[in-house]
Amino acid sequence: MRGVLFLQKLFGFKVAEHQSSIGTEVLAGLTTFGAMGYIIAVNPAILSATGANRADMITVTVLAAMCGSLLMAFLSRLPIALAPGMGSNAVFAQVVVVKMGLSYGTALTMVLVGGILFTCLSLSNVRQHIVRGFPASIRIGLQAGIGLFIAYLGLRSGGLIVTDAGGSVAFADLRTPSVMVVFLSLLLIAALVAARVRGAMLLSILAVTVAGLFIHTPDGHVMTVLPTQVVALPHVPSAYFFAFDTSEFFHNFFLVLPLTLYFFLSDFFSATATMIAVTRRAGMMDAQGNFLNSRRAFLADGLASIVGACLGSPTVGAYVESATGVEAGGRTGLTTLTVAILFGLSAFLWPLIACIPPQATTAALVMVGILMMEGLAELDVSDPIQSVSAGMIVLLTVTTANLMIGICAGCFAYTVMAVATRSWARLTPVFLLTNVLLVIYLVLVTYTVN
């Protein structure tokens, strides 16, 4: 009891008032960390496509997750953990840096601007107007399209998808031991998720990493190479601290503006959906759909993206895996504080994390991508405006590996169909502004980049 009173006085977590205990909150934090800890291995694997050092990206990932979770713990005191967002990190690396050829610093500047917009809107009532003004089918299509894109990246990095002699995409040879292990890991993670095993993604990564100690890749090397030491002081990624490239950002302002808007909107809608889902499951939401300290929670999310960008990370956002901690009894910021501490401690295990082969993260990436398509069930398929606009985004994003083309096709299809059916109420000012920015983007990318 004294420990509870001490925490209430020092941090204001009010553990007793939420009918919880220190032990329950810590256990809930462990549960949440187990469910989302895969990001420590997956995020650096994605960001390494930019040429970034993987050990540096491990430190960036854990620092961003730790700082974001600390902000949520102390500002909102809710059991919602934060970390670099799946989806945003793929767009950050593959679209902005690899495909568009912009610098890592420019991508960070885009994330920073998006975080500042999010933070400003969190302090006002404009947030509700944006949520209501942006078509749900476009949001769903974006999430599903990026989910499939992430799954595709996972399959390629793990060697399950290869390019054949004719330049076409083909499935790898299952007679290769490393390919067979990756294929079996997809079945393993599917079984674990179906059985609702907590930490399913971490277990899958661990299983393939261990198996890799005894399996050789086609080039003859062992798949998993153990480090000389397990624990070490973390790399200090000073090259990524405040590494903003504002000159390139403003030089290509209208080209990067739609993607900057994407970073803002993806975090904006993801945070809204995640916080509603987690607080509803925790019984912390009233009949009107409002939850405790909501404005502070959104402020913490926005500030987390700003801090994350300063540390060198893609957009930092709320994780729906926090719901696992809520199911374990977490009701206060002490759960989130526990997650932050665990992320901080993991920074000292970077040699062990860095030895995880790309094949080990394949199943996690594929599963995350598949789970991101769950919103498609909310589409009214009898309404062509919804189904076609969302379908356009998913189809073109996956087939062209170009998110922006997918967004343009989906938004323009929604607009012309709304005009054709005279559904003027669907064309809100927020959405029309988005269309204008996308037209500018298409003109610039067509006549400047190509």
Side-chain angles (χ1 to χ4, degrees):
M1 178 59 77
R2 288 182 178 179
V4 173
L5 292 174
F6 172 75
L7 283 173
Q8 289 186 167
K9 183 177 180 180
L10 185 61
F11 299 128
F13 287 141
K14 299 180 180 179
V15 175
E17 287 187 22
H18 288 86
Q19 288 79 50
S20 187
S21 66
I22 293 178
T24 299
E25 295 293 311
V26 172
L27 177 61
L30 287 165
T31 303
T32 298
F33 180 78
M36 63 183 288
Y38 67 88
I39 194 65
I40 303 173
V42 172
N43 193 53
I46 291 175
L47 296 180
S48 63
T50 66
N53 179 274
R54 194 170 180 183
D56 284 345
M57 290 300 100
I58 291 172
T59 305
V60 166
T61 301
V62 297
L63 283 177
M66 183 177 69
C67 292
S69 295
L70 286 174
L71 282 167
M72 185 64 73
F74 293 120
L75 282 179
S76 74
R77 301 183 179 88
L78 292 174
I80 300 174
L82 282 75
M86 289 297 298
S88 292
N89 53 6
V91 174
F92 183 101
Q94 292 291 333
V95 178
V96 180
V97 179
V98 175
K99 199 166 191 70
M100 296 180 67
L102 299 174
S103 69
Y104 197 101
T106 301
L108 286 179
T109 306
M110 295 161 69
V111 173
L112 176 68
V113 172
I116 292 172
L117 283 173
F118 190 113
T119 303
C120 292
L121 290 175
S122 298
L123 298 173
S124 69
N125 294 321
V126 180
R127 181 175 62 84
Q128 290 85 346
H129 295 293
I130 292 179
V131 171
R132 289 193 294 266
F134 210 83
S137 62
I138 300 298
R139 299 201 307 267
I140 292 170
L142 271 174
Q143 180 176 315
I146 293 171
L148 282 177
F149 183 57
I150 289 172
Y152 172 76
L153 292 176
L155 292 172
R156 283 202 73 98
S157 67
L160 274 186
I161 288 180
V162 296
T163 303
D164 62 18
S168 301
V169 175
F171 192 75
D173 188 352
L174 282 175
R175 291 173 296 180
T176 306
S178 59
V179 173
M180 176 57 77
V181 167
V182 176
F183 182 71
L184 291 176
S185 72
L186 295 179
L187 304 181
L188 171 64
I189 199 169
L192 293 174
V193 170
R196 300 189 183 278
V197 175
R198 289 171 179 169
M201 296 190 192
L202 271 179
L203 289 173
S204 170
I205 291 172
L206 178 62
V208 177
T209 301
V210 172
L213 294 170
F214 312 98
I215 294 174
H216 289 76
T217 56
D219 59 10
H221 295 98
V222 177
M223 200 165 80
T224 302
V225 180
L226 287 177
T228 56
Q229 54 185 347
V230 175
V231 179
L233 289 175
H235 273 223
V236 179
S238 54
Y240 298 96
F241 292 164
F242 297 93
F244 304 114
D245 189 345
T246 54
S247 59
E248 188 177 57
F249 176 85
F250 286 110
H251 181 71
N252 299 281
F253 183 72
F254 289 105
L255 191 63
V256 301
L257 191 57
L259 269 172
T260 303
L261 186 64
Y262 160 78
F263 283 121
F264 157 65
L265 287 174
S266 65
D267 187 26
F268 189 85
F269 290 116
S270 175
T272 301
T274 299
M275 291 181 195
I276 288 174
V278 175
T279 53
R280 180 187 290 138
R281 186 168 297 187
M284 305 171 76
M285 181 176 288
D286 60 26
Q288 287 72 43
N290 302 311
F291 58 90
L292 181 69
N293 294 334
S294 59
R295 182 165 292 186
R296 289 189 175 193
F298 283 104
L299 176 62
D301 195 295
L303 290 174
S305 284
I306 294 175
V307 173
C310 293
L311 294 171
S313 169
T315 306
V316 177
Y319 262 58
V320 74
E321 284 86 350
S322 301
T324 61
V326 165
E327 289 179 352
R331 293 295 182 272
T332 74
L334 181 54
T335 293
T336 314
L337 175 60
T338 302
V339 175
I341 292 172
L342 291 170
F343 269 116
L345 292 175
S346 68
F348 295 90
L349 298 173
W350 72 264
L352 198 60
I353 298 169
C355 82
I356 296 172
Q359 292 88 343
T361 59
T362 293
L365 285 168
V366 171
M367 186 53 63
V368 167
I370 291 172
L371 293 177
M372 286 179 70
M373 293 190 290
E374 62 183 358
L376 292 174
E378 300 175 17
L379 286 176
D380 180 2
V381 293
S382 65
D383 180 3
I385 297 181
Q386 291 190 45
S387 57
V388 172
S389 59
M392 286 277 197
I393 296 176
V394 175
L395 180 63
L396 288 176
T397 297
V398 176
T399 56
T400 67
N402 190 325
L403 172 68
M404 291 307 297
I405 292 299
I407 294 175
C408 289
C411 288
F412 296 161
Y414 186 98
T415 302
V416 297
M417 293 175 79
V419 171
T421 57
R422 299 183 181 181
S423 303
W424 309 116
R426 294 178 185 257
L427 301 177
T428 63
V430 171
F431 185 61
L432 290 174
L433 175 61
T434 301
N435 275 273
V436 171
L437 294 176
L438 290 176
V439 169
I440 294 173
Y441 167 82
L442 276 183
V443 171
L444 289 174
V445 80
T446 301
Y447 292 100
T448 303
V449 177
N450 292 336

